[in-house]
Amino acid sequence: HPSMGDLMTMAVQPRHTKLGMAVKTRNWSYATYEAAELRHAFDRIAKTIPTYRDTDIASAASQNIKAPLDALDAAIKARNAASFASAYGRLTRGCNSCHQSLSHPEVVIKAPAAGAYPDQDFRPVRGK
């Protein structure tokens, strides 16, 4: 049974990073994919670990990340980089707020400064 840290490192953090990199290169199609994958990752974690340190994980995720993810979806659909940046910032702050409420203030998430996936090309595919 994976721990909360395992699931965050395996499922959430890479999606957050890849989503940021997708929009840096204006790859809206890939951003759509990663935003959906990030949303599903939180859903899977809530099913795998419904309660963590007396906290209902589905409620914590809903409280901290649902609205930012909805705003991200709208920004991606509109292909609006400024709206995306605002929503991505809200999402990132939501992640950090949740970490603090779960007694893990040392886990601080930020927008990626560089790609962590040197084997992946984040540029849009022509014709997409």
Side-chain angles (χ1 to χ4, degrees):
H1 188 272
S3 71
M4 179 66 79
D6 293 337
L7 292 172
M8 287 292 170
T9 300
M10 290 185 300
V12 173
Q13 194 169 8
R15 300 294 183 201
H16 180 270
T17 298
K18 289 181 172 194
L19 182 57
M21 294 307 298
V23 174
K24 277 187 178 188
T25 60
R26 303 297 190 256
N27 189 341
W28 299 107
S29 175
Y30 187 67
T32 300
Y33 169 79
E34 282 300 343
E37 289 295 310
L38 181 58
R39 188 180 298 273
H40 296 311
F42 281 111
D43 291 343
R44 286 188 301 272
I45 289 170
K47 288 176 185 168
T48 304
I49 303 176
T51 305
Y52 179 77
R53 295 187 174 186
D54 297 324
T55 298
D56 179 290
I57 295 305
S59 293
S62 179
Q63 181 180 19
N64 288 289
I65 60 122
K66 184 186 181 324
L69 280 175
D70 290 346
L72 277 172
D73 289 342
I76 292 166
K77 185 175 183 178
R79 297 180 177 222
N80 185 319
S83 293
F84 176 87
S86 175
Y88 192 76
R90 286 177 51 210
L91 173 67
T92 303
R93 288 188 299 278
C95 291
N96 291 322
S97 180
C98 195
H99 296 159
Q100 290 173 2
S101 72
L102 294 172
S103 299
H104 286 300
E106 67 279 1
V107 180
V108 180
I109 303 302
K110 67 181 189 90
Y117 298 90
D119 61 340
Q120 185 169 356
D121 187 348
F122 289 96
R123 295 174 296 181
V125 175
R126 289 187 181 175
K128 292 272 179 178

